[in-house]
């Protein structure tokens, strides 16, 4: 035989009750069953709300009671086509009249005792069992409602009463005969030895089912609910969560105690003791295999995952007792737990410092004030003597539990857990792990619950890891970057198990967001007005509000306002990949604050494209430094525009004509003076100087401007280009003079002895700097190791595609760090 328990979601309408009846009829073709039912979905909460209204003197309770009556009578009318059996109508009305009388008494007394609360809550199961049994009889199945008070004996406490399993077994065996009518048992409710109604706690119908199963020696217990089984995590919070085909009894208990609401925490114990499997089935999807809860199956390779599942309790308060007077004093913990037990305060989590100086407890926030009060009374003398500090209560917390039988004896589980939380900037406030090593529980701030669940789940359950990108700017670099990500996402997924998700992007006017990823083919259509999130500060607030795990901020702008927020991003534990030079080449205080923020946070800051676009200059420089090499000198050409101009000069041609050609080819800014001033070149050398450890400001870089002094005033660009011919002779003369000495001229920079200089200078024809072509960039490192033959990094140093490629590479480095 089997026990079939149907939850409230399975009984939420007349149609669902018909479906339940069909499932029961199918089961009866093969075996005997006992049916246990919960209240209709949401009814227990509504009954309790109605009782609370009545106890507060709010006459509005009558309207709530009338709605509950209408709900149940409406389902009866729909099931029986407005012609229910007279006996059913009379019994239902009798139950409802009794409920109204009790509520009226509560209203008159303005008091809701535990006994009255238990009585009011019991009507949900009593009415649902009445309706289900009546419909089964109408469907041709001989059934009878059985009140749980006739079967299960508990202590005298009205709410969450402890069960006397021995007495309950006697009653169950005597009342439920092997043959005869199909029992439809009210779950959740029981009775004390003197016959007073008690309850088994919320979700207690599961417990009823397993108590019956153990007493009747059933082969299985089937828990029919509205989900496909136990999931690796709550699928409402973790979209990638998967159904677990099997879990052990102990894992089910741990998950249930730690917040998984699919099974009552105590329900596992009777089944485990009697070695009866529990099967979780979806009443809305009966063909799904569900989850089987049973003992360990040794040698099954499919069940060797270290972590079975994770769950959370999203509202807890952390109560802390601490003080030097606790150290080495016997009995402190005993007094603490005895005091809380005496006042029926449930402890969810316990953590104690090895120094014995503090004990932290997670409890329900509703009990926090009461717990603090009774403990302050219990430890009044120690607090007065300052041996123990005042009882501290911290709210707005959640508890996350990582559960798995196979965690025991496997090194690295805790390391992986705390590493993934740390890299996502999630602070662990308290932690506890049992000696059996099958549960690691952590307390974190409530606003980080979803983020923590998702990053932990990915670490332990998924081979493919997700990284969320938020882009600032939608210009040339961003467009190229989006194209490159779109073209390579499949390759990254297949070869690196990496899922790059562009979750957000924004420019000065618009914003787009999709947690699952913006469509990279039509991303322009996704942009919407930035109402409510104006400015870069608004965008940062938006990113922090979404609080996604594995987040990278990608700056594709040239905005000083965006760069100014880098420290705040890093302090928010959001890693940054940037093509914007105005952070690392900004004022020294900004540069210092970026560096300090990176040191203090778990986030990382990458900016390879700040110098040389896609060329590996920053990484090469840092590799040399970190490996102990001494850098004597850095020389280079770090302007694609100026590289093109001087390379063309070496081939013959007038300076002004070459500048005009460069503008027409798109190698310069709209106003070529922006390039000829050398400002961008100077910012790059400023960054390199700072990388070498020199405290430099932009004004410390000696930079020769190629804009003639006479042409530096305001004038139209075309006029400037016309008059630029005035310097053609000077450049021709300089080229001739250099050639006579076996040299050529180049616009280059040098960092030596803490000084950075940039300008036109003669270089030997044998120098790597004289061998550039087109708009190539080059950096030459002269070091102790690379002294006779300097290390050269050379290649295209400008352009949207090249720069985007460098940013893409930085994103992949950050992704590798995060996951």
């Amino acid at each position: 035989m089997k026990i079939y328990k149907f939850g409230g979601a399975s009984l939420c309408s007349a149609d669902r009750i018909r479906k339940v009846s069909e499932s029961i009829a199918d089961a009866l073709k093969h075996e005997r069953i006992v049916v246990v039912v919960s209240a209709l979905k949401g009814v227990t909460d509504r009954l309790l709300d109605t009782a609370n209204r009545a106890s507060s003197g709010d006459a509005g309770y009558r309207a709530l009671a009338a709605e509950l009556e209408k709900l149940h009578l409406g389902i009866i009318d729909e099931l029986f086509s407005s012609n229910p059996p007279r006996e059913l109508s009379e019994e239902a009305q009798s139950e409802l009249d009794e409920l109204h009388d009790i509520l009226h008494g509560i209203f008159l007394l303005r008091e809701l005792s535990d006994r009255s609360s238990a009585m009011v809550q019991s009507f949900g199961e009593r009415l649902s069992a009445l309706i289900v049994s009546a419909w089964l009889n109408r469907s041709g199945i001989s059934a009878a409602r059985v009140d749980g008070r006739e079967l299960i004996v508990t202590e005298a406490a009205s709410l969450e009463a402890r069960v006397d399993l021995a007495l309950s077994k006697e009653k169950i065996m005597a009342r439920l005969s092997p043959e005869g009518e199909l029992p439809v048992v009210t779950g959740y409710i029981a009775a004390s030895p003197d016959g007073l109604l008690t309850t088994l706690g919320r979700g207690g119908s599961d417990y009823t089912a397993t108590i019956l199963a153990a007493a009747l020696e059933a082969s299985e217990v089937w828990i029919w609910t509205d989900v496909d089984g136990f999931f690796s995590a709550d699928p409402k919070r973790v979209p990638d969560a998967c159904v677990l085909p099997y879990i052990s009894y102990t894992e089910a208990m741990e998950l249930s105690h730690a917040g998984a609401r699919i099974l009552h925490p105590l329900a596992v114990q009777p089944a485990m003791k009697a070695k009866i499997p529990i099967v979780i089935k979806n009443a809305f999807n009966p063909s799904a295999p569900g989850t089987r809860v049973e003992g360990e199956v040794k040698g099954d390779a499919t069940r060797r995952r270290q972590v079975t599942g994770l769950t959370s309790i999203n509202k807890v308060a952390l109560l802390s007792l601490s003080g030097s007077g606790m150290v080495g004093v016997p009995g402190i913990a005993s007094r603490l737990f005895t005091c809380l037990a005496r006042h029926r305060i449930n402890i969810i989590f316990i953590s104690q410092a090895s120094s014995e100086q503090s004990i932290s407890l997670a409890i329900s926030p509703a009990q926090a004030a009461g717990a603090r009060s009774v403990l302050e009374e219990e430890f009044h003398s120690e607090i007065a003597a300052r041996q123990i500090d005042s009882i501290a209560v911290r709210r707005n917390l959640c508890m996350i539990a990582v559960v798995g039988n196979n965690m025991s004896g496997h090194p690295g589980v805790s390391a992986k857990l705390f590493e993934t939380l740390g890299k996502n900037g999630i602070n662990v406030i308290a932690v506890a792990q049992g000696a059996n090593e099958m549960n690691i529980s952590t307390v974190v701030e409530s606003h980080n619950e979803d983020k923590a669940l998702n990053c932990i789940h990915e670490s332990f359950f998924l081979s493919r890891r997700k990284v969320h990108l938020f882009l600032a700017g939608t210009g040339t670099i961003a467009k190229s970057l989006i194209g490159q990500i779109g073209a390579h996402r499949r390759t990254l997924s297949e070869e690196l198990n990496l899922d790059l998700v562009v979750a957000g992007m924004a420019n000065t006017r618009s914003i787009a967001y999709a947690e699952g990823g913006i469509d990279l083919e039509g991303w322009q259509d996704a942009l919407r007005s930035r109402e409510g999130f104006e400015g870069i500060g608004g965008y940062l607030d938006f990113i922090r509000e979404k609080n996604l795990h594995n987040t990278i901020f990608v700056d594709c702008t040239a905005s000083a306002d965006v760069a100014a927020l880098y420290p705040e991003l890093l302090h928010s534990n959001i890693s940054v990949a940037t093509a914007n030079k105005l952070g690392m080449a900004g004022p020294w205080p900004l540069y210092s604050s970026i560096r300090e923020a990176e040191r203090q946070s778990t986030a990382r800051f990458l900016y390879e494209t700040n110098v040389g676009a896609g060329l590996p200059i920053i990484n090469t420089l840092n590799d040399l430094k970190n490996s102990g090499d001494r850098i004597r000198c850095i020389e280079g050409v770090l302007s694609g525009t100026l590289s093109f101009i001087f390379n063309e000069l070496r081939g013959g041609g007038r300076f002004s004509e070459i500048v005009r050609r460069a503008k027409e080819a798109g190698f310069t800014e709209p106003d070529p003076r922006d390039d000829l001033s050398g400002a961008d070149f100077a910012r790059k050398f400023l960054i390199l100087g700072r990388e070498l450890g020199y405290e430099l400001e932009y004004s410390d870089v000696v930079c020769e401007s190629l804009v003639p002094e006479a042409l530096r005033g305001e004038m139209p660009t075309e006029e400037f280009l016309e008059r630029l011919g005035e310097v053609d002779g000077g450049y021709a003369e300089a080229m001739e003079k250099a050639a006579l000495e076996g040299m050529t001229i180049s616009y280059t920079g040098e960092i030596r002895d803490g000084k950075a200089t940039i300008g036109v200078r003669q270089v030997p024809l044998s120098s790597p700097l004289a061998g550039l072509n087109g708009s190539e960039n080059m950096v030459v490192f002269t070091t102790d190791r690379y002294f006779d033959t300097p290390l050269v990094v050379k290649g295209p140093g400008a352009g949207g595609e090249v720069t985007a490629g460098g940013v893409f590479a930085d994103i992949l480095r950050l992704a590798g760090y995060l996951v």
Side-chain angles (χ1 to χ4, degrees):
M1 69 168 296
K2 292 179 181 174
I3 309 296
Y4 272 32
K5 178 264 174 178
F6 292 95
S10 310
L11 307 167
C12 58
S13 66
D15 182 60
R16 293 309 314 163
I17 292 173
R18 292 190 188 100
K19 295 288 187 185
V20 164
S21 173
E22 292 172 8
S23 297
I24 292 170
D26 289 342
L28 287 170
K29 295 175 184 176
H30 309 287
E31 58 213 344
R32 291 188 300 114
I33 65 171
V34 171
V35 174
V36 178
V37 295
S38 298
L40 305 186
K41 185 176 182 180
V43 164
T44 304
D45 285 333
R46 293 168 69 178
L47 283 166
L48 190 55
D49 185 29
T50 304
N52 285 323
R53 290 278 193 95
S55 69
S56 67
D58 183 353
Y61 85 89
R62 296 189 181 94
L64 297 181
E67 290 176 8
L68 286 165
E69 179 173 337
K70 182 180 177 182
L71 170 67
H72 289 90
L73 295 180
I75 287 177
I76 291 173
D77 283 344
E78 188 176 347
L79 276 171
F80 294 93
S81 302
S82 300
N83 187 28
R86 183 173 60 83
E87 184 179 354
L88 170 60
S89 297
E90 290 176 354
E91 287 191 48
Q93 195 58 58
S94 174
E95 296 279 7
L96 290 166
D97 288 344
E98 183 182 350
L99 172 61
H100 284 297
D101 289 344
I102 294 170
L103 290 169
H104 184 58
I106 293 169
F107 176 72
L108 293 175
L109 293 172
R110 301 292 196 273
E111 180 184 359
L112 180 61
S113 66
D114 286 353
R115 184 175 171 186
S116 297
S117 178
M119 183 63 73
V120 169
Q121 293 177 63
S122 74
F123 283 95
E125 279 72 17
R126 291 158 64 176
L127 287 165
S128 67
L130 178 63
I131 295 169
V132 170
S133 60
W135 177 249
L136 288 170
N137 280 297
R138 173 61 64 89
S139 304
I141 300 171
S142 180
R145 176 177 66 155
V146 179
D147 195 312
R149 288 174 286 185
E150 302 175 40
L151 305 176
I152 298 177
V153 183
T154 70
E155 63 177 357
S158 298
L159 302 174
E160 299 188 25
R162 295 179 181 177
V163 175
D164 186 325
L165 292 174
L167 280 177
S168 298
K169 181 174 182 177
E170 291 179 12
K171 287 196 169 245
I172 292 166
M173 295 294 290
R175 177 66 178 81
L176 300 181
S177 61
E179 306 297 336
E181 297 176 311
L182 170 69
V184 180
V185 181
T186 57
Y188 178 58
I189 62 176
S192 63
D194 56 2
L196 294 176
L197 183 142
T198 62
T199 65
L200 304 181
R202 297 302 297 271
S205 295
D206 298 338
Y207 196 14
T208 301
T210 57
I211 292 169
L212 296 180
L216 298 172
E217 298 181 356
S219 60
E220 292 179 345
V221 179
W222 284 31
I223 306 291
W224 292 88
T225 181
D226 59 347
V227 294
D228 284 344
F230 263 102
F231 279 75
S232 53
D234 183 349
K236 294 178 182 177
R237 295 180 175 274
V238 182
D240 294 322
C242 56
V243 176
L244 303 170
Y246 160 87
I247 57 174
S248 69
Y249 291 124
T250 51
E251 288 169 334
M253 281 195 293
E254 291 285 350
L255 289 169
S256 298
H257 276 289
R261 298 186 177 184
I262 200 166
L263 194 62
H264 189 282
L266 296 177
V268 180
Q269 294 177 1
M272 179 170 65
K273 188 174 181 180
K275 298 181 179 179
I276 299 170
I278 302 171
V279 181
I280 311 297
K281 295 284 287 183
N282 190 343
F284 296 86
N285 183 23
S287 62
T291 298
R292 191 173 180 85
V293 183
E294 58 184 332
E296 295 298 319
V297 179
K298 295 182 180 179
D300 187 342
T302 64
R303 302 179 182 181
R304 292 180 185 170
R305 190 192 296 272
Q306 291 178 4
V307 172
T308 298
L310 53 146
T311 187
S312 64
I313 299 175
N314 61 3
K315 290 183 180 178
V316 301
L318 195 67
L319 185 147
S320 297
L321 182 73
S322 61
S324 58
M326 294 170 58
V327 178
V329 178
I332 293 288
S334 174
R335 288 171 60 193
L336 170 67
F337 298 129
T338 301
C339 176
L340 294 177
R342 188 168 60 247
H343 292 86
R344 300 186 68 83
I345 293 169
N346 183 46
I347 299 171
I348 303 168
F349 166 105
I350 303 169
S351 178
Q352 182 174 13
S354 59
S355 65
E356 303 179 38
Q357 191 165 297
S358 69
I359 302 175
S360 295
L361 311 169
I363 60 176
S364 166
Q367 295 185 307
R372 179 176 185 173
S373 176
V374 298
L375 288 178
E376 285 178 341
E377 182 179 345
E378 173 69 27
F379 293 98
H380 172 74
S381 59
E382 287 88 351
I383 293 172
R386 296 187 178 180
Q387 295 174 334
I388 292 179
D389 301 331
S390 296
I391 310 299
V393 176
R394 186 167 177 178
R395 299 177 184 272
N396 300 317
L397 304 175
C398 73
M399 188 192 81
I400 295 174
V402 178
V403 174
N405 278 343
N406 292 330
M407 287 163 52
S408 177
H410 282 84
V413 175
S414 297
K416 183 185 286 189
L417 169 63
F418 295 120
E419 181 183 28
T420 191
L421 291 174
K423 286 181 177 179
N424 277 278
I426 299 169
N427 181 43
V428 176
I429 297 165
V431 62
Q433 181 175 10
N436 63 6
E437 299 182 57
M438 70 170 297
N439 183 335
I440 304 173
S441 295
T442 60
V443 175
V444 303
E445 293 178 332
S446 291
H447 73 274
N448 280 326
E449 181 180 7
D450 286 3
K451 184 178 183 180
L453 286 170
N454 277 277
C455 68
I456 295 170
H457 188 269
E458 278 192 5
S459 292
F460 288 104
F461 287 91
L462 302 181
S463 58
R464 183 173 294 111
R465 306 293 294 281
K466 189 177 293 182
V467 172
H468 298 94
L469 307 181
F470 284 85
L471 274 59
T474 57
T476 302
I477 296 172
K479 289 176 182 175
S480 296
L481 177 62
I482 291 168
Q484 291 176 18
I485 293 173
H488 292 281
R489 279 189 69 181
R490 183 173 178 179
T491 302
L492 292 172
S493 177
E494 293 175 351
E495 296 184 4
L496 299 180
N497 287 322
L498 179 65
D499 186 10
L500 283 186
V501 176
V502 180
M505 56 179 66
N507 55 35
T508 55
R509 301 170 303 281
S510 307
I511 191 170
Y513 174 76
E515 184 174 338
I518 297 167
D519 178 10
L520 300 186
E521 294 292 330
W523 59 269
Q524 292 95 336
D525 297 331
L527 292 168
R528 298 288 182 269
S529 170
R530 290 185 60 172
E531 185 176 347
F533 294 100
E534 291 81 5
I536 184 59
Y539 189 35
L540 176 54
D541 290 341
F542 178 83
I543 295 170
R544 287 191 292 211
E545 178 186 297
K546 297 305 176 185
N547 201 27
L548 300 182
H549 67 291
N550 297 338
T551 290
I552 300 173
F553 180 85
V554 184
D555 185 4
C556 298
T557 74
S559 167
D561 291 338
V562 177
L565 282 184
Y566 292 161
E568 195 170 346
L569 281 158
L570 294 168
H571 280 304
S572 299
N573 293 292
I574 298 170
S575 293
V576 178
T578 178
N580 183 354
K581 304 177 188 66
L582 299 183
M584 301 308 280
W588 179 261
L590 174 59
Y591 175 85
S592 298
S593 63
I594 293 170
R595 287 304 196 195
E596 183 63 24
E598 187 179 18
R599 281 191 291 270
Q600 293 178 358
S601 77
T602 57
R604 293 184 66 187
F605 181 82
L606 296 184
Y607 50 99
E608 181 64 72
T609 55
N610 280 194
V611 180
L615 297 179
I617 295 171
I618 299 291
N619 281 335
T620 300
L621 173 55
N622 286 324
D623 287 344
L624 292 171
K625 285 171 47 187
N626 295 336
S627 64
D629 201 356
R630 184 168 69 96
I631 298 168
R632 295 171 172 249
C633 173
I634 297 177
E635 300 169 278
V637 175
L638 285 174
S639 167
T641 303
L642 297 174
S643 177
F644 172 83
I645 291 169
F646 279 84
N647 291 337
E648 291 294 301
L649 270 177
R650 282 192 285 274
R654 295 169 56 196
F655 183 81
S656 60
E657 291 179 353
I658 294 170
V659 171
R660 185 180 289 276
R661 289 207 314 273
K663 181 180 183 303
E664 292 170 352
F667 292 161
T668 74
E669 296 295 328
D671 187 339
R673 283 170 287 189
D674 294 337
D675 298 285
L676 296 176
S677 68
D680 187 61
F681 198 143
R683 280 192 287 267
K684 294 173 183 177
F685 259 62
L686 172 62
I687 294 171
L688 290 178
R690 288 173 169 177
E691 289 297 303
L692 289 175
Y694 301 125
E695 186 173 332
L696 299 174
E697 288 285 9
Y698 180 79
S699 58
D700 296 325
V701 180
V702 179
C703 180
E704 177 185 353
S705 174
L706 301 186
V707 180
E709 190 169 347
L711 306 183
R712 293 178 187 176
E714 290 189 13
M715 67 177 65
T717 301
E718 187 57 36
E719 182 183 346
F720 167 76
L721 291 172
E722 290 291 338
R723 294 185 57 186
L724 191 58
E726 298 171 8
V727 300
D728 287 346
Y731 282 101
E733 183 179 337
M735 288 292 293
E736 290 177 8
K737 181 180 178 182
L740 291 174
E741 299 178 20
M743 313 267 287
T744 187
I745 63 170
S746 181
Y747 189 79
T748 68
E750 180 184 80
I751 303 174
R752 189 186 296 271
D753 299 328
K755 296 180 179 180
T757 58
I758 301 168
V760 179
R761 65 190 63 180
Q762 291 185 352
V763 295
L765 291 173
S766 59
S767 167
L769 298 174
L772 293 173
N773 295 301
S775 58
E776 287 180 330
N777 279 200
M778 174 184 288
V779 172
V780 179
F781 295 99
T782 302
T783 74
D784 284 352
R785 294 176 190 157
Y786 296 94
F787 185 75
D788 294 328
T789 305
L791 176 63
V792 176
V793 178
K794 173 183 173 183
E801 284 292 326
V802 172
T803 304
V807 174
F808 197 180
D810 275 350
I811 290 171
L812 294 179
R813 291 187 189 97
L814 291 174
Y817 162 75
L818 288 171
V819 304

